[in-house]
């Protein structure tokens, strides 16, 4: 770390260095003038903070300001009052000469872990935001996770192969970003939504084990945790069954927890998609806590309570130790489930009191004997709170899933330092697209691949492809950690005819399939091996390891929710000269 | 490497495994039917080849074809006739059961190191071309170089930080690829030509040491060794002088040679740009051999030989041991330098014969005494051949540089297994752009940054910025290996006013500079540290380590010289629905 400018970093000197002549460089974190005699400066760099001390006759500190850049010469001395909070806290530098390398005007927000800068300001001045050690540490964590991922996969004989970024538009999933070609008039490249077809071609090529930490692109209407460009750990293996892939990547995640966080995680449990939906209402259940769904149709129907009698599904959860929730708290929960994005019409509850009695919000319809049946079904104990929703099965489960997570949060069951990892398996192969805003409108009213069009149906379900496509299960799997889908993949189709059949089910004409994916189907004619793989969302993996809900602070230069980089002000207009060379015109739209 | 499909790879079994029951998967490299009794199959995967042997009653081999995929069960036995050329050559597998996992039609070319496939066919079926071990090994080398680059830089405390791919168009250098925005009508992202401004912002952020192995994009008219997307090892450091950077990355290259090729390379020599041009006519001299330029104006002028008398520069080389070149060989050399892309008008030579006499092609003008002076200037020895060109200084040097390389090749002085590495330093800051086809036409007739607009002039030359910009030297450097520019970089400007001055010299108006690079100049107001860096061309580095002249076979899925991926057929037309959503029209041009 020694350079022509410095002998040490600001995080390096210790009591054993006392007496050494040193040269440090860094930013002014803080200046303290102790009367006329003494000045203290906290000098900061990536590696730490070192205290400089000097008599004020050495320099005119009026020129100094927070975030200015200094080069300081001096001798390491022992501090009188040591600071146990920083690694260099035993020493300080007795300054003999100091040089301003660059000045700073006053930053728009404080460069501290707890800053006064709002989100917009932080993004506009991201280069200052990144000075905050709390943000920089996120990116150091990201670096460490990437290095350890590569170490593990390299040891497992995976080859990192770079696949192209300028590819071909195949907008069957989300929308593509496209790039007009200057050399080929009227033609466009597209940016990859994933390297899916290329990694499969590498398997056809006999590469056997491939990975890549790679940027991918989706032109989506953005949600809070999505970015138009994002990073995947993308992997593929040949001559494998699902079991091989699950074991290999369970190994990766264990390695990452062990080496990066020092945590030994237990063997991952496995849950079918059907069970995840039945017991958690969600294909990415947060299994840090139980609170499984209990279905009540058998128990509650036929007692003249219309809400339950009319419902396709009555389903509830038992919140341990929440019986003493106040009326106000219960009203909050009712408001919570009635919000439009959750969409329940109401919430039924039953308190299993400490004295053993059970009181529900629908006592009019259910006597104590009935409520005892409820209790038995939920296996509730004195002190527990039963919460019940009713409606169509899909809606009731979705709403109850949100309520379950809310109760988990309220009861402190979602500790960010606790990790619960599992595989969700046996996903459905297809889902019906009845108008997804992130997909071209022309693709609505069709079957849509739940994972992607290259995913293999389970051999035992292939016969259902014609008769009942919606029930066909795929050899597809997701890794879920703390309720977040961290990765997912599938065993692929490696047979040309089955792949053609799949495109047909997805509504591709033969010409469309040949035009967009002909190269892959042709490749399958030349000895494609059985293969499969998966991809991890690297941004999310980083934020999970960093104990955060959002991915944005784990990306050095993220875009905002409108897909805009407010720091560099992009996207932006380009010159007519550029447009001309690219053979395109901007369409002036009539917004009237 | 064990999976549900196989117990071992095809490269794994040894004599010590004899007796084991195994299961192998791979591709049929070769089938040999030895009469009715015995069949041999060479089964291939990424890891090697294993011989299978079976009696023909086990399977109907008429279904088998080259490149089909098999799963074979059997017992490892010792071979009678061992094959010393392959690692598994001591054993073979006595097959008990065999299964066809996938069939193959006949490939369009043979999957052998020496293939019968031409370039176009190989690119169209790149997935088959990649099966050839000679091509796959290039990509394995690439993987190894990337891993070792990261190992070295990680140990030196560099952080890998991903910078964005969707950025802003700043077409001051080469042309940008652009990406129309769906959400922001009439606006465009651009793909980065390099992460230059972002890595500088990371230095402003205090990241201290950054690197990234990253895809970059240039919309250029392609030459043989260029690709529209290419990969850089991109690096930046703070609080450094040029010396620090040269030492750090000399260390990287030594590490790569040592770990990947087992070669200890000596300390890199350093040559100024001025010397490189004077002695090699080239800013990337191939220093595997000497044959330096010798300037002859003082020696040859004033002897009535008009070609020399009229020339700005007379300059030559001495080719050791080539005095016996035949007339035919000398004519070839003359033809070589007269080719339009080299552009000399003729070639003068002088043979220093074994008997000590000197005979030139211009004996009419130069007597023996004069020729002795030539010999003394070149320090030629009996047996050497002197080759001389004349003309304007630039043209003569450029042509002689080509001739020198040609002579180096002819004399066997350019061994691909020998490596000569050096730094070329003190590049000029600016060069005059009088119409570069790879730059927007509107930028011609201006000073152009030789490296890029962020490169720092040498402090002692700053005064020349106004008076004589063309003579200002930069703190810029290239690493050159075997005549190839492998990497280059500079110390950057970190002062806002100097950066503004630089943009002014490059012909930017204040508004243009602010519009395109305002974020960087603003960042310089908040305490930018002194910093500098460099980038290596990773594709070229791989091809150099692989002993090849071209980069294409070190890229898994390269584009052809027209920027087209012939395998996936990209670029291609996109749908009107896509164009509409992106607010653009394809311009129908009138080519009449």
């Amino acid at each position: 770390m020694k350079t022509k400018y410095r002998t040490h970093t600001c995080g390096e000197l210790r009591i054993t260095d006392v007496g050494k002549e040193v040269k440090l460089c860094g930013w002014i974190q803080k200046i303290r003038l102790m009367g006329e005699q003494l000045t203290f400066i906290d000098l900061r760099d990536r590696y730490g903070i070192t205290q400089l001390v000097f008599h004020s006759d050495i320099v005119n500190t009026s020129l100094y300001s927070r975030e200015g850049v200094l080069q300081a010469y001096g001798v390491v001395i022992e501090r009188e009052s040591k600071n146990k909070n920083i690694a260099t806290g035993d020493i300080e530098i007795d300054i003999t000469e100091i040089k301003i390398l660059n000045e700073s005007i006053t930053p728009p927000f404080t460069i501290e872990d707890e800053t006064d800068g709002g989100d917009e300001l932080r993004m506009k001045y991201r280069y200052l935001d990144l000075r905050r050690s709390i943000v920089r540490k996120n990116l150091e964590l990201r670096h460490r996770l990437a290095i350890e991922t590569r170490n593990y996969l390299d040891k497992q004989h995976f080859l990192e192969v770079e696949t192209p970024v300028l590819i071909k538009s195949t907008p069957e999933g989300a929308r593509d970003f496209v790039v007009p070609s200057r050399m080929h008039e009227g033609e466009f490249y597209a940016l990859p939504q994933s390297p899916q077809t290329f990694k499969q071609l590498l398997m056809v090529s006999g590469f056997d084990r491939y990975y890549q930490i790679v940027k991918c692109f989706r032109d989506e209407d953005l949600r809070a945790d999505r970015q138009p460009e994002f990073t995947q750990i993308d992997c593929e293996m040949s001559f494998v069954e699902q079991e091989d892939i699950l074991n290999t990547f369970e190994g990766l995640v264990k390695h990452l927890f062990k080496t990066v966080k020092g945590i030994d995680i237990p063997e991952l449990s496995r849950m079918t998609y059907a069970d995840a939906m039945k017991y958690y209402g969600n294909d990415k259940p947060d299994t840090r806590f139980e609170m499984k769904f209990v279905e009540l149709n058998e128990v509650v129907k036929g007692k003249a309570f219309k809400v339950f009698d009319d419902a396709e599904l009555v389903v509830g959860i038992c919140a341990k130790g929440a019986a003493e929730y106040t009326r106000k708290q219960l009203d909050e929960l009712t408001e919570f489930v009635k919000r439009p994005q959750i969409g329940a019409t109401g919430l039924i509850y039953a308190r299993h009191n400490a004295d053993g009695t059970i009181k529900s919000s629908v006592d009019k319809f259910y006597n104590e004997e009935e409520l005892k049946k409820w209790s038995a079904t939920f296996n509730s104990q004195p002190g527990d709170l039963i919460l019940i929703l009713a409606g169509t099965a899909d809606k009731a489960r979705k709403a109850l899933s949100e309520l379950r997570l809310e109760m988990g949060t309220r009861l402190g069951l979602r500790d960010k330092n606790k990790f619960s990892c599992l595989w969700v398996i046996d996903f459905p192969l297809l889902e019906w697209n009845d108008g997804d805003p992130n997909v071209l409108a022309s693709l609505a009213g069709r079957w849509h691949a739940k994972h992607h069009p290259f995913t293999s149906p389970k051999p035992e379900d292939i016969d259902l492809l014609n008769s009942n496509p919606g029930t066909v299960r795929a050899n597809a799997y997701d890794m879920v950690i703390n309720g977040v889908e961290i990765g997912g993949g599938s065993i692929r189709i490696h047979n040309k005819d089955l792949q053609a059949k799949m495109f047909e089910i997805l509504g591709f004409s033969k010409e469309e399939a040949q035009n967009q994916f002909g190269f892959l189907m042709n490749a399958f004619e030349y000895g494609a091996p059985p293969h499969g793989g998966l991809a991890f969302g690297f941004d999310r993996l980083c934020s999970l390891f960093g104990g955060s809900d959002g991915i944005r602070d784990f990306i050095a230069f993220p875009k905002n929710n409108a897909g805009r980089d407010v720091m560099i002000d992009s996207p932006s207009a380009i010159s007519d000269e550029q447009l001309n060379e690219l053979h395109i015109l901007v369409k002036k739209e009539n917004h009237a």
Side-chain angles (χ1 to χ4, degrees), chain A:
Chain A
M1 317 295 273
K2 194 179 163 179
T3 69
K4 295 274 174 197
Y5 271 89
R6 69 185 175 206
T7 57
H8 298 80
T9 70
C10 296
E12 205 173 346
L13 294 166
R14 300 286 182 274
I15 193 79
T16 49
D17 296 306
V18 164
K20 282 187 186 158
E21 280 188 48
V22 298
K23 203 162 57 167
L24 300 186
C25 290
W27 285 262
I28 300 174
Q29 178 76 23
K30 212 186 277 172
I31 308 179
R32 275 160 298 150
L33 306 171
M34 312 296 272
E36 286 187 23
Q37 314 237 291
L38 225 53
T39 299
F40 290 100
I41 288 181
D42 282 351
L43 196 68
R44 183 197 73 230
D45 67 11
R46 177 181 130 197
Y47 311 96
I49 286 182
T50 299
Q51 180 164 290
L52 315 180
V53 55
F54 49 93
H55 291 272
S56 308
D57 52 357
I58 290 195
V59 282
N60 179 355
T61 51
S62 67
L63 294 170
Y64 288 22
S65 60
R66 262 200 304 143
E67 300 304 320
V69 185
L70 299 182
Q71 185 182 42
Y73 304 74
V75 176
V76 183
I77 57 173
E78 185 170 358
R79 272 209 216 183
E80 275 182 36
S81 59
K82 302 199 169 46
N83 180 347
K84 296 290 166 207
N85 297 322
I86 58 174
T88 63
D90 287 350
I91 58 96
E92 60 194 4
I93 314 296
D94 187 13
I95 294 300
T96 51
E97 198 188 333
I98 203 159
K99 207 156 115 187
I100 300 179
L101 295 176
N102 219 338
E103 295 175 14
S104 175
I105 58 176
T106 305
F109 50 83
T110 54
I111 311 295
E112 307 274 0
D113 285 0
E114 293 291 328
T115 184
D116 55 353
D119 208 47
E120 207 168 324
L121 208 55
R122 288 177 50 213
M123 288 303 140
K124 183 164 162 58
Y125 296 92
R126 182 63 163 177
Y127 46 86
L128 297 179
D129 194 35
L130 289 171
R131 280 190 192 165
R132 297 166 58 225
S133 69
I134 204 171
V135 184
R136 198 195 56 243
K137 285 203 166 80
N138 290 342
L139 293 167
E140 291 176 351
L141 171 69
R142 187 177 177 114
H143 168 76
R144 190 51 41 209
L145 280 167
I147 286 271
E148 289 300 342
T149 297
R150 290 190 165 96
N151 282 348
Y152 175 84
L153 293 174
D154 186 53
K155 285 212 184 77
Q156 303 283 326
H157 300 277
F158 283 77
L159 291 175
E160 185 161 30
V161 180
E162 293 173 58
T163 53
V165 176
L166 295 171
I167 64 164
K168 181 173 176 157
S169 185
T170 55
E172 90 293 342
R175 286 182 181 83
D176 284 324
F177 284 105
V178 302
V179 179
S181 165
R182 181 173 58 87
M183 293 208 261
H184 303 277
E185 194 180 322
E187 297 189 333
F188 294 78
Y189 301 98
L191 305 183
Q193 296 184 27
S194 90
Q196 184 61 36
T197 50
F198 290 97
K199 68 176 174 175
Q200 292 193 242
L201 290 177
L202 287 172
M203 294 304 105
V204 174
S205 298
F207 272 58
D208 206 66
R209 295 176 169 212
Y210 144 93
Y211 83 100
Q212 192 181 186
I213 300 185
V214 61
K215 276 279 175 77
C216 300
F217 305 86
R218 264 174 225 173
D219 186 6
E220 292 183 318
D221 297 323
L222 301 176
R223 299 194 306 242
D225 63 339
R226 290 284 176 104
Q227 288 277 315
E229 54 179 295
F230 56 96
T231 303
Q232 279 186 189
I233 306 171
D234 191 50
C235 307
E236 198 79 5
M237 303 171 78
S238 288
F239 301 118
V240 290
E241 293 181 4
Q242 174 168 308
E243 193 62 24
D244 297 306
I245 295 182
L246 300 191
N247 289 334
T248 302
F249 293 99
E250 184 162 331
L252 170 61
V253 169
K254 282 183 172 171
H255 174 81
L256 294 179
F257 272 108
K258 181 71 185 170
T259 55
V260 177
K261 294 195 77 79
I263 297 174
D264 284 301
I265 58 164
E267 195 180 329
L268 271 66
S269 59
R270 297 184 188 181
M271 190 186 296
T272 63
Y273 172 85
D275 278 354
M277 297 310 288
K278 183 177 171 72
Y279 294 116
Y280 300 92
N282 196 322
D283 60 6
K284 36 182 191 287
D286 185 344
T287 49
R288 279 174 296 187
F289 62 106
E290 279 270 322
M291 214 188 282
K292 280 188 188 173
F293 288 12
V294 173
E295 298 187 355
L296 297 165
N297 283 11
E298 306 297 314
V299 182
V300 300
K301 290 216 176 197
K303 306 290 166 185
F305 181 43
K306 200 168 151 43
V307 172
F308 284 177
D309 284 352
D310 289 355
E312 183 187 356
L313 179 68
V314 181
V315 59
I317 52 177
C318 174
K320 291 273 156 211
E324 310 222 330
Y325 261 37
T326 62
R327 179 75 209 196
K328 182 159 166 286
Q329 286 173 303
L330 289 165
D331 285 349
E332 279 169 15
L333 293 180
T334 304
E335 287 314 305
F336 176 84
V337 298
K338 285 168 85 173
R339 290 188 306 167
Q341 59 271 47
I342 296 186
T345 47
L347 173 67
I348 310 299
Y349 62 84
R351 287 195 177 93
H352 194 151
N353 295 316
D355 63 5
T357 61
I358 304 174
K359 291 289 286 179
S360 85
S361 57
V362 286
D363 279 0
K364 206 160 40 162
F365 302 98
Y366 300 90
N367 60 25
E368 191 159 349
E369 193 186 338
E370 294 292 336
L371 293 177
K372 285 246 161 84
K373 279 192 209 156
W374 292 20
S375 167
T377 312
F378 280 102
N379 192 24
S380 74
Q381 305 298 321
D384 293 351
L385 176 67
I386 290 169
L387 297 166
I388 301 173
L389 296 176
T392 61
D394 281 0
K395 275 195 159 178
R397 286 196 178 110
K398 189 167 170 293
L400 189 62
S401 168
E402 297 292 337
L403 181 62
R404 176 179 173 274
L405 293 174
E406 173 68 14
M407 288 309 298
T409 302
R410 285 175 178 244
L411 296 173
L413 302 173
R414 303 179 73 192
D415 179 354
K416 287 196 193 311
N417 295 311
K418 195 183 148 186
F419 296 92
S420 175
C421 315
L422 77 156
W423 290 106
V424 177
I425 57 174
D426 297 354
F427 274 80
L429 182 69
L430 301 164
E431 64 188 351
W432 188 254
N433 169 14
D434 41 26
D436 178 338
N438 280 319
V439 173
L440 288 175
S442 57
L443 297 174
R446 290 190 188 183
W447 287 108
H448 195 86
K450 175 100 179 160
H451 187 55
H452 56 50
F454 315 105
T455 294
S456 173
K458 283 197 178 285
E460 61 268 36
D461 290 1
I462 285 185
D463 286 345
L464 296 166
L465 273 176
N466 290 313
S467 55
N468 195 355
T471 63
V472 175
R473 290 167 306 156
N475 274 322
Y477 33 81
D478 278 356
M479 186 186 286
V480 175
I481 306 182
N482 292 4
V484 178
E485 180 208 323
I486 285 295
S490 63
I491 298 295
R492 324 302 184 185
I493 297 168
H494 65 282
N495 173 287
K496 191 190 175 177
D497 296 334
L498 184 55
Q499 188 64 67
K501 172 84 188 163
M502 186 67 184
F503 284 127
E504 187 193 318
I505 290 170
L506 295 173
F508 284 73
S509 72
K510 273 213 168 104
E511 292 67 36
E512 285 168 340
Q514 189 57 38
N515 183 35
Q516 290 188 24
F517 298 108
F519 60 96
L520 186 67
M521 290 195 290
N522 291 345
F524 284 177
E525 302 238 53
Y526 295 98
H531 62 288
L534 90 179
F536 289 94
F538 189 54
D539 307 297
R540 283 199 205 167
L541 187 73
C542 294
S543 80
L544 181 95
F545 270 70
S548 169
D549 289 327
I551 61 172
R552 218 181 284 174
D553 269 342
F554 294 82
I555 297 172
F557 300 100
K559 295 190 174 50
N560 73 10
N561 279 348
R564 181 168 282 285
D565 183 328
V566 295
M567 180 185 73
I568 62 172
D569 188 26
S570 168
S572 61
I574 60 173
S575 70
D576 288 341
E577 187 181 10
Q578 285 176 284
L579 291 171
N580 276 337
E581 288 195 342
L582 297 171
H583 322 285
I584 57 172
L585 291 170
V586 170
K587 200 164 140 188
K588 299 291 170 214
E589 313 213 22
N590 186 353
H591 291 285

